[in-house]
Amino acid sequence: MADGGVPMGALAVRALRARLRGRRARRAVGYGAVAALTAGLLVGAEPAPTPAEALTPPLTMTAEDLPTWQTNGIVYALAEADGVVYAGGTFSTIRPPGAEAGTQETAVANFVALDAATGAPVEDCDLSFTVGSGTATIRSLAVSPDRSTLYVGGTFGSVNGAGASSVAAFDLPSCTRVPFPVAANGIVRAIAASGERVYLGGDFTQLSGQPRSRFGAVTTAGAVVAGWRADADEIGKAVALTPDGQNVLLGGDFFEVNGANSHALAVVSAATGANVRTYPEGFIETNSTVQSIATDGTSFYTGNEGTGGGVFDGRIALSLDTFQQRWRDTCLGATQSVTVHGGVLYSGHHAHDCASMGEFPNQERYHLFAQAVTGTAKLGWFPNTNDGLGEALGPRVLLPVTDHPDDERDFLWVGGGFTTVNGVGQWGLTRFATAPDTGTPSTPETHVASPAAGRVDVSWRASLDLDDSLLTYRVYRDNGSTPVHTVEGSSLPWVRPQLTWTDPAVAAGETHSYRVTATDGAGNVSALSAPVSVTVASGGQAYANAVLADDPLLYWRFDEAANNYASDASGNGASGVHRGGPERGAVPAAVPGVGAASVGYDGTDAYTYSDARLPGMQRFTMETWFRTTTTRGGKLMGLGNLILQDSGNRDPNLYMLNNGQLTFGIINGANRTLTTPRRYNDGQWHHVAASVGSSGMRLYVDGQQVNSNILFTTARSVSGYLRTGGDSLANWANRPTSDYFAGQLDETAVYPAQLSASRVQAHYAAASVPADSVTQLGAVADTYVNGAAPSANHGTHQQLAVRGTPAYESYLAFDLPSAPAGQVLKAASLRVRVSGDAAAGSLDDFTVLPVDGSWGETTTTWTTRPALGTTALGTLSAPDALNGTYTVPLQLSTVRAALGGQFDVAVTGAGGDSLWLGSREASATASRPQLLLTFGAP
């Protein structure tokens, strides 16, 4: 037995006490007046549902923060025993969840004990830590392995009025002080306890008058262990025992341990303090420290904080067998705490830049992360706090609770200086659990296009869920209740890739609408996306075909009418994100076509960035259409290293000068630029392409080369995010007044090769090829007749009825235009919408017939109904979805013959299942019948 070991008799007594404590329930009441303050607020423990396999493995915790009592200051330390969480820090009051600062407060002195499952204070643990001068603070808490003793360290001179010197011990669960006559002459920042010893770390240089520099060991009776020395030259901040109890892991600010070069991290013997493994300066950067250490069965993990440039702020995993590094996460953002639960490393920090890990560039801060202990990739767990109080570091300490006597769930407690959690006010403390997962994924942003004859592509930006990265998406057509497509997709906040589905069941001329939902593993379903509609093309699109023939890396057509999603038509899923509120669906478009639109930028802060980082390209082509009258210039497109701020690295660039000239720039040893002789801020659409490759630098406008330089055949290879509409142009020639472009952009593409002059010319020429257009016509008259009421007229009714037995028929009239000059009718379809009435849908098929006889909306009855033709124009198949929209392709020759005049059709049925459709009198425009005519080149 090592020095300070506990006799077997004492161990037996402790074991008996533990059994007697059992799994006793603790009432969720608090200190003195707490019960009165919270009358009506606390109704008992939260339910403890059976955990479901809901989260994306290996994630263990949901992202929904649970109601937890708050502090009015910073929580630095947490510990737990028998379902009670002990929290310490610098705070003087606690208050219920939801209470505003300064209200419903109960006085405490830097310490509180709370039920892990309810988040409310428990009775019988009222400890007050104070100091004669300065600010008393609890910096460290630890519980003995048998859960019978709580050790407390920090800066304090008394506990409940009795003297103490920055460290003390207490019996559990009674919270009565036990003899532990240790006196530290400085802050005690870290504690780790075995059954025989207690290891301390901090600012001290003496323990009970004996020299111990920053680290020391004492017995459980409070005697300094003779001969145990692990002296460091600077502050100790973290202490942890290896699971086998043989070694102690030390972290802090130090550069030497026991005289050996070891910066911020060291492994020493638990028996003697002698160095077992040192980590010379350079393993952890000079300006970085170890703030926290956690262990599991095979590894230990460090949380690191740096100050200044070139620091290490992330996490390291090291093997317990060899003490060698397994992996290193170099995200920037001052990691304060790490802990392990179920094979997942959870961390608290203010991470703001993980570009070095191939994740996200510098942006708003993330304060909590989860990653598998096997690697650096972030899991889909993103609850968040703010920076909060003091040094504005957010979370300071994390603690898993895995064995609560009254709740089968596991919990993750978080303490720190934050004042919000998930955007809602919550100070100092919060907690998460393994169940239930109630968070709903964000609503998908959806786009639909018909890029070729008889083809419809539905695309959407992946949704975001705070604790599920793998979501299931369901696509619904024409307001149907049954999905027509289901697929899984993964996403993280900084990578929300595009998903695309091609509808195999469409025909030219039909019009269809689509909506998408996202569902997480627990079955939480997002709202339906806003419906997006398209008329199926009857021919190809010359311009898009020309672009796609050259294999673009990215192709943004900017046809979306709303939201912040810019779909990618290249087939590579390289979608974009709008920021700053650019105008969506701006017209006219640069290239005409069905549903064609563009994006409009304000020249102030609106721009679009690619969702994913594009690879470095030494040879490439950038292409777009632009339209502007600005005299302040601005960036049209280029790559940058940031997405939410102006980029520090930005090249290549294509931008406009104040006078309307265009400049294309790359970096090849220095900034190399080409500028157009002419000005193009004339309010007209212009096509621009800029390239670098074996032919040198080339700049084209409206299909013609306007400048070149054969000396530079490559650009520097630097990956980045495509930015359109604006980014910093610092240090570029003739920098305009505005870095942000005021005007419209359209049909933006990037190619991983230099396009030839003939291909650039072909793209420009293709924009002039006549494109299909769709004319939407509302009915000029409609009514239905009822065989059971032969004299009744229903011309003013908001619905149309159709059934075979007993008989109903509906009639509709449309005034058709003549075909535009040089074009022909290529497709025609009737679009109708089933009403929302409970019996409106039908499983029968219905026939569209031409009306041969005369009729009138306000005069026609069953008795006077018109004669109908016998040749069917189309079939409406089983329109069973309430509020569903259906399109019926019509026989083209009959519609063509009616162009320039009135076109009358009837909808009839043979079965007994009635159908109710919206009429032209329906209050909602979308419910009214329409005729859709597609005109195009012969």
Side-chain angles (χ1 to χ4, degrees):
M1 182 182 297
D3 287 348
V6 179
M8 287 301 296
L11 286 175
V13 171
R14 288 187 177 180
L16 177 61
R17 291 170 60 199
R19 287 198 299 271
L20 290 174
R21 283 198 309 270
R23 300 174 65 84
R24 68 181 181 87
R26 297 177 184 264
R27 289 178 293 153
V29 296
Y31 301 77
V34 170
L37 286 170
T38 61
L41 292 177
L42 299 176
V43 294
E46 295 171 352
T50 301
E53 187 65 30
L55 305 173
T56 304
L59 196 64
T60 60
M61 293 291 167
T62 72
E64 286 83 49
D65 55 297
L66 303 177
T68 308
W69 276 61
Q70 309 174 68
T71 65
N72 67 340
I74 300 173
V75 174
Y76 289 102
L78 295 170
E80 178 268 337
D82 295 330
V84 175
V85 170
Y86 305 95
T90 304
F91 50 88
S92 59
T93 66
I94 57 171
R95 64 184 187 274
E100 296 291 334
T103 68
Q104 303 185 56
E105 292 187 327
T106 299
V108 295
N110 307 306
F111 178 86
V112 64
L114 307 110
D115 189 291
T118 68
V122 301
E123 60 182 5
D124 301 330
C125 195
D126 189 1
L127 300 179
S128 174
F129 294 80
T130 58
V131 69
S133 62
T135 302
T137 304
I138 294 175
R139 288 280 184 169
S140 53
L141 294 167
V143 171
S144 60
D146 66 359
R147 325 298 280 173
S148 69
T149 306
L150 173 68
Y151 299 99
V152 182
T155 302
F156 49 86
S158 66
V159 182
N160 290 353
S165 186
S166 294
V167 63
F170 304 87
D171 174 75
L172 295 179
S174 68
C175 285
T176 57
R177 192 168 177 185
V178 297
F180 194 63
V182 183
N185 69 340
I187 304 172
V188 177
R189 297 178 181 270
I191 304 177
S194 71
E196 302 170 346
R197 292 180 176 176
V198 180
Y199 299 91
L200 309 175
D203 302 32
F204 54 82
T205 57
Q206 291 183 355
L207 290 177
S208 299
Q210 300 183 42
R212 293 292 187 272
S213 184
R214 280 78 184 201
F215 295 101
V218 299
T219 69
T220 55
V224 177
V225 177
W228 196 95
R229 300 298 293 267
D231 292 341
D233 60 333
E234 296 291 346
I235 296 172
K237 292 187 172 181
V239 178
L241 278 162
T242 56
D244 61 9
Q246 298 300 305
N247 298 293
V248 183
L249 310 169
L250 308 180
D253 296 3
F254 51 82
F255 290 86
E256 290 184 359
V257 176
N258 290 328
N261 180 3
S262 192
H263 174 50
L265 182 66
V267 183
V268 300
S269 167
T272 67
N275 292 349
V276 174
R277 173 61 190 267
T278 57
Y279 298 88
E281 188 174 351
F283 180 76
I284 294 176
E285 279 73 2
T286 301
N287 293 335
S288 296
T289 66
V290 170
Q291 301 291 106
S292 174
I293 299 176
T295 65
D296 59 17
T298 62
S299 302
F300 70 99
Y301 309 87
T302 68
N304 306 269
E305 176 184 20
T307 303
V311 299
F312 174 54
D313 263 355
R315 293 153 292 283
I316 306 174
L318 303 100
S319 167
L320 284 169
D321 290 334
T322 65
F323 302 125
Q324 300 281 354
Q325 176 178 301
R326 290 199 301 106
W327 52 256
R328 179 178 295 225
D329 184 329
T330 56
C331 288
L332 296 175
T335 303
Q336 299 299 303
S337 183
V338 291
T339 195
V340 179
H341 181 267
V344 175
L345 181 70
Y346 292 89
S347 55
H349 38 68
H350 57 253
H352 58 89
D353 190 343
C354 287
S356 63
M357 304 305 300
E359 292 170 333
F360 57 88
N362 190 39
Q363 56 181 267
E364 284 94 344
R365 295 175 168 186
Y366 295 89
H367 293 88
L368 294 165
F369 275 162
Q371 55 201 110
V373 296
T374 54
T376 61
K378 308 304 180 294
L379 302 176
W381 187 73
F382 297 100
N384 208 0
T385 73
N386 64 352
D387 289 343
L389 307 171
E391 298 172 87
L393 295 175
R396 293 288 196 138
V397 58
L398 285 74
L399 175 73
V401 178
T402 59
D403 188 20
H404 191 280
D406 304 307
D407 198 315
E408 64 185 32
R409 294 176 295 174
D410 291 352
F411 298 88
L412 178 65
W413 279 70
V414 180
F418 48 84
T419 58
T420 67
V421 178
N422 288 337
V424 178
Q426 176 69 25
W427 287 45
L429 287 167
T430 191
R431 62 200 173 96
F432 305 92
T434 48
D437 176 7
T438 60
T440 301
S442 65
T443 304
E445 296 183 29
T446 309
H447 177 63
V448 63
S450 182
R455 174 177 166 180
V456 166
D457 291 342
V458 184
S459 64
W460 62 95
R461 187 185 185 203
S463 295
L464 179 62
D465 188 278
L466 294 183
D467 50 24
D468 290 278
S469 56
L470 182 65
L471 301 175
T472 299
Y473 297 92
R474 292 178 173 85
V475 182
Y476 298 85
R477 182 175 55 211
D478 298 330
N479 289 311
S481 58
T482 301
V484 293
H485 178 65
T486 301
V487 66
E488 290 185 335
S490 294
S491 60
L492 297 171
W494 53 88
V495 179
R496 295 171 60 183
Q498 174 176 299
L499 291 89
T500 300
W501 171 67
T502 299
D503 190 342
V506 296
E510 294 179 351
T511 295
H512 295 285
S513 66
Y514 299 86
R515 307 181 81 174
V516 182
T517 63
T519 306
D520 68 12
N524 301 303
V525 184
S526 75
L528 279 162
S529 64
V532 288
S533 300
V534 67
T535 299
V536 186
S538 57
Q541 300 180 26
Y543 185 83
N545 292 342
V547 170
L548 295 172
D550 289 316
D551 297 321
L553 188 67
L554 172 154
Y555 181 23
W556 294 343
R557 305 207 68 187
F558 292 130
D559 291 337
E560 300 83 16
N563 299 320
N564 294 316
Y565 160 60
S567 63
D568 173 39
S570 73
N572 297 316
S575 57
V577 181
H578 298 295
R579 188 168 171 85
E583 181 186 1
R584 313 309 328 285
V587 292
V591 178
V594 177
S598 64
V599 62
Y601 297 109
D602 61 9
T604 302
D605 59 1
Y607 61 97
T608 306
Y609 64 86
S610 58
D611 189 63
R613 197 178 186 98
L614 301 185
M617 297 175 292
Q618 292 184 289
R619 298 181 176 185
F620 60 85
T621 302
M622 298 190 303
E623 175 184 46
T624 194
W625 288 77
F626 67 94
R627 178 174 180 257
T628 186
T629 58
T630 185
T631 58
R632 301 176 68 246
K635 184 171 182 174
L636 275 66
M637 62 186 302
L639 296 189
N641 67 320
L642 299 180
I643 57 176
L644 302 184
Q645 306 91 22
D646 284 347
S647 297
N649 298 322
R650 53 263 166 181
D651 73 285
N653 290 305
L654 178 60
Y655 58 100
M656 178 172 280
L657 309 186
N658 287 345
N659 64 3
Q661 292 176 283
L662 299 175
T663 293
F664 167 50
I666 64 170
I667 294 180
N668 182 322
N671 290 6
R672 313 296 181 181
T673 60
L674 300 176
T675 298
T676 63
R678 280 190 51 198
R679 305 175 181 184
Y680 297 96
N681 54 346
D682 55 10
Q684 303 298 312
W685 279 111
H686 296 283
H687 174 262
V688 58
S691 69
V692 61
S694 58
S695 298
M697 295 176 66
R698 294 286 186 268
L699 183 57
Y700 303 84
V701 178
D702 295 337
Q704 301 300 311
Q705 181 176 299
V706 294
N707 205 342
S708 65
N709 187 324
I710 63 173
L711 297 179
F712 304 107
T713 58
T714 60
R716 69 169 179 169
S717 179
V718 54
S719 63
Y721 300 88
L722 181 67
R723 299 264 304 239
T724 62
D727 198 1
S728 174
L729 289 167
N731 303 318
W732 283 91
N734 299 313
R735 182 182 183 181
T737 300
S738 174
D739 291 343
Y740 286 76
F741 176 70
Q744 293 170 252
L745 292 185
D746 203 2
E747 305 287 345
T748 298
V750 176
Y751 307 84
Q754 184 174 45
L755 297 185
S756 66
S758 62
R759 289 307 301 159
V760 173
Q761 292 165 3
H763 289 197
Y764 176 69
S768 300
V769 175
D772 289 355
S773 62
V774 174
T775 299
Q776 294 180 295
L777 302 173
V780 295
D782 61 16
T783 190
Y784 75 89
V785 294
N786 178 2
S791 301
N793 173 266
H794 304 283
T796 59
H797 204 284
Q798 292 192 351
Q799 297 187 69
L800 301 174
V802 188
R803 186 170 62 188
T805 306
Y808 288 84
E809 289 181 356
S810 290
Y811 315 109
L812 304 99
F814 300 89
D815 285 340
L816 304 190
S818 299
Q823 297 187 8
V824 297
L825 181 67
K826 303 180 73 173
S829 59
L830 175 67
R831 182 168 70 188
V832 293
R833 185 170 184 175
V834 177
S835 80
D837 291 353
S842 175
L843 294 175
D844 290 342
D845 290 344
F846 299 88
T847 303
V848 180
L849 295 169
V851 175
D852 289 344
S854 61
W855 63 282
E857 181 178 70
T858 59
T859 58
T860 296
T861 65
W862 175 263
T863 302
T864 63
R865 69 188 185 279
L868 305 181
T870 58
T871 301
L873 301 179
T875 301
L876 176 59
S877 299
D880 62 326
L882 302 184
N883 295 310
T885 302
Y886 294 86
T887 58
V888 183
L890 301 180
Q891 183 189 76
L892 204 54
S893 59
T894 301
V895 184
R896 280 177 175 168
L899 290 176
Q902 183 168 300
F903 178 61
D904 298 69
V905 296
V907 183
T908 67
D913 194 4
S914 60
L915 171 68
W916 290 90
L917 305 172
S919 75
R920 76 185 190 102
E921 286 81 13
S923 58
T925 302
S927 297
R928 301 168 188 169
Q930 288 189 324
L931 189 68
L932 299 118
L933 307 179
T934 303
F935 294 101

